[in-house]
């Protein structure tokens, strides 16, 4: 099994902790290699990652991301280039790798990932877990109302298929039409470009914060997703997740902040204690943006009313505002 992360030097410690959880819970997997497509990773951090691999008799290979022929439309101050590295993984990774599991650094692996080795792509380039995105927003980025839309934090890539695609003109063509409508960076680009070649996985492979904090019915109110999971599917994933993804979700505080209130913060802390970063001083999370303050005010209302208002804002008003701002109305 081959696993890939991407990050710069600032996030290596999170990636390292995620890797420890991966190795701890997959000791039965005969072959397990981790690739980090890194940007400016220090020698010290490379040594730390090497030591983690050696402790578990595994290999962590750090690949310094080469100068890529990145389409000019992706070069902006809005998003770092590291956000798009995974789209070029077919070019960067060794040619003999035919499939790879991409993981965000803010994940903790709690189960058996070898289940993903035998999943058929059925013509799909990428497979992932459905994110709770409204049909209104999907239309903004070139999808049909009920098209699958996956979260980009856990992706199973068919590298053989990806290498057959001339990715640069594909990105340029997509950005020409949708650049001003994108809100979720490479996640929108991935879903938009490969809209007919996106497959879906069981939610246990990418259990997001919103899935833990809210019931399926509450998620429907909060995000109004089209083509989402059933209550049973989400409950089963919550009971036995394989990969926990500590996504941002309104005012939930993630585990690498000292004042965390994430329901599964303990899972992150368990693996942090096994790492060389166990003594790392954690900062306090402060919600000080206008959006954070607005959400805080709305959430003081009765729960049902708050969820209804936030759902209207996030799923309907925001995508319409983005469209209007882009001059597409």
């Amino acid at each position: 099994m081959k696993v890939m992360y991407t990050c710069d030097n600032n996030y290596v410690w999170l990636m390292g902790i995620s890797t420890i959880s991966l190795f701890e819970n997959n000791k039965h997997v005969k072959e397990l290699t981790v690739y980090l497509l890194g940007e400016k990773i220090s020698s010290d951090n490379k040594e730390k990652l090497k030591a983690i691999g050696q402790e578990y008799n595994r290999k962590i290979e750090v690949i310094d991301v080469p100068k890529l022929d990145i389409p000019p439309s992706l070069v902006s101050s809005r998003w770092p280039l590291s956000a798009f590295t995974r789209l070029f993984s077919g070019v960067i990774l060794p040619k003999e790798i035919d499939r790879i599991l991409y993981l965000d650094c803010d994940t903790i692996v709690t189960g058996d990932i070898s289940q993903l080795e035998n999943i058929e792509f059925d013509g799909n380039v990428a497979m992932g877990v459905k994110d709770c995105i409204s049909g209104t927003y999907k239309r903004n980025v070139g999808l049909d109302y009920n098209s699958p839309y996956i979260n980009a934090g856990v992706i199973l890539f068919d590298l053989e298929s990806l290498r057959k695609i001339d990715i640069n003109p594909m990105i340029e063509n997509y950005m020409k039409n949708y650049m001003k409508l994108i809100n979720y960076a490479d996640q929108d680009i991935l879903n938009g470009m490969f809209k007919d070649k996106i497959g879906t996985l069981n939610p246990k492979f990418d259990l997001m914060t919103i899935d833990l904090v809210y019931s399926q019915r509450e998620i429907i109110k909060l995000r109004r997703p089209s083509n989402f999971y059933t209550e049973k599917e989400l409950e089963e994933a919550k009971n036995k997740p394989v990969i926990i993804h500590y996504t941002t979700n309104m005012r939930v505080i993630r585990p690498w902040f000292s004042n965390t209130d994430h329901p599964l913060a303990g899972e992150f802390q368990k693996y942090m204690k096994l790492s060389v970063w166990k003594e790392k001083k954690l900062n306090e999370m402060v919600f000080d943006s206008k959006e954070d303050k607005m959400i805080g005010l709305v959430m003081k209302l009765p729960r049902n009313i708050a969820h209804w208002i936030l759902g209207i804002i996030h799923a309907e008003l925001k995508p319409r505002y983005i469209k209007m701002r882009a001059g597409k109305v």
Side-chain angles (χ1 to χ4, degrees):
M1 188 76 184
K2 306 290 192 295
V3 178
M4 169 179 70
Y5 293 84
T6 66
C7 71
D8 61 19
N9 201 56
N10 295 320
Y11 291 95
V12 168
W13 74 284
L14 286 176
M15 177 264 175
I17 292 167
S18 178
T19 303
I20 289 170
S21 72
L22 168 67
F23 291 159
E24 278 285 332
N25 293 298
N26 286 274
K27 292 177 179 178
H28 61 288
V29 178
K30 186 176 180 181
E31 183 188 343
L32 184 54
T33 304
V34 170
Y35 295 88
L36 168 60
L37 307 188
E39 287 193 53
K40 299 178 180 177
I41 308 299
S42 69
S43 298
D44 179 54
N45 277 330
K46 286 180 180 179
E47 286 301 313
K48 287 176 181 176
L49 293 178
K50 182 180 178 181
I52 291 171
Q54 289 174 340
E55 182 179 347
Y56 290 93
N57 198 28
R58 304 291 192 184
K59 185 177 181 182
I60 299 178
E61 184 174 334
V62 179
I63 299 176
D64 296 317
V65 176
K67 185 174 177 58
L68 297 167
D69 183 20
I70 301 282
S73 55
L74 295 187
V75 183
S76 73
S77 58
R78 186 178 174 192
W79 301 306
L81 287 181
S82 58
F84 303 98
T85 304
R86 76 200 87 173
L87 294 175
F88 295 87
S89 55
V91 177
I92 301 170
L93 290 168
K95 295 293 187 288
E96 62 270 19
I97 302 176
D98 59 358
R99 71 163 60 199
I100 200 154
L101 175 64
Y102 168 79
L103 296 178
D104 266 357
C105 295
D106 59 350
T107 57
I108 287 293
V109 180
T110 58
D112 179 9
I113 64 162
S114 68
Q115 304 168 58
L116 294 169
E117 272 208 292
N118 299 316
I119 288 179
E120 296 292 336
F121 283 102
D122 295 325
N124 294 308
V125 173
M127 301 187 72
V129 171
K130 298 175 191 176
D131 213 334
C132 42
I133 301 296
S134 73
T136 302
Y137 183 78
K138 288 178 185 178
R139 284 172 172 159
N140 271 12
V141 294
L143 302 176
D144 296 328
Y145 188 87
N146 283 312
S147 294
Y149 180 104
I150 63 171
N151 178 269
V154 177
I155 309 171
L156 189 63
F157 278 113
D158 180 351
L159 292 183
E160 282 189 326
S161 295
L162 190 60
R163 291 188 184 106
K164 293 175 183 176
I165 296 168
D166 193 350
I167 196 82
N168 279 37
M170 195 173 185
I171 292 174
E172 280 290 88
N173 184 58
Y174 181 79
M175 295 297 280
K176 178 181 175 182
N177 295 302
Y178 297 102
M179 183 166 62
K180 293 183 179 179
L181 293 162
I182 288 171
N183 189 57
Y184 297 111
D186 68 313
Q187 182 166 288
D188 285 346
I189 297 171
L190 174 82
N191 281 279
M193 284 199 318
F194 301 126
K195 65 178 181 179
D196 298 320
K197 296 182 180 297
I198 292 286
T200 59
L201 301 172
N202 188 291
K204 69 183 179 179
F205 292 112
D206 186 0
L207 187 66
M208 292 170 251
T209 303
I210 193 169
D211 303 328
L212 286 162
V213 176
Y214 299 102
S215 69
Q216 191 259 10
R217 292 182 182 182
E218 289 175 323
I219 292 171
I220 299 301
K221 285 184 181 178
L222 280 165
R223 292 291 182 261
R224 302 190 173 197
S226 61
N227 189 355
F228 196 51
Y229 295 104
T230 64
E231 184 176 1
K232 182 181 178 183
E233 287 172 320
L234 285 183
E235 287 304 314
E236 288 176 349
K238 279 191 235 187
N239 290 333
K240 201 169 183 181
V242 175
I243 301 168
I244 301 166
H245 188 188
Y246 296 99
T247 49
T248 56
N249 180 241
M250 294 187 283
R251 294 173 68 89
V252 178
I253 301 171
R254 298 191 284 179
W256 43 92
F257 291 98
S258 59
N259 55 335
T260 182
D261 60 355
H262 193 285
L264 290 182
E267 287 294 323
F268 174 84
Q269 291 159 354
K270 177 167 69 175
Y271 298 106
M272 183 176 177
K273 288 174 183 175
L274 296 177
S275 77
V276 294
W277 299 280
K278 59 187 174 183
E279 302 298 334
K280 184 177 176 66
K281 183 175 173 58
L282 302 180
N283 297 322
E284 183 177 338
M285 178 67 189
V286 179
F287 294 107
D288 54 5
S289 72
K290 290 182 180 179
E291 185 175 347
D292 288 332
K293 290 175 181 177
M294 182 274 292
I295 291 171
L297 287 172
V298 174
M299 290 178 72
K300 290 180 180 179
L301 297 170
R303 193 174 177 92
N304 281 343
I305 295 173
H307 290 175
W308 181 81
I309 292 173
L310 291 171
I312 288 285
I313 293 171
H314 186 276
E316 302 298 337
L317 297 182
K318 186 174 181 179
R320 283 178 168 84
Y321 170 72
I322 292 170
K323 190 174 182 180
M324 181 180 70
R325 187 182 59 192
K328 300 289 185 179
V329 178

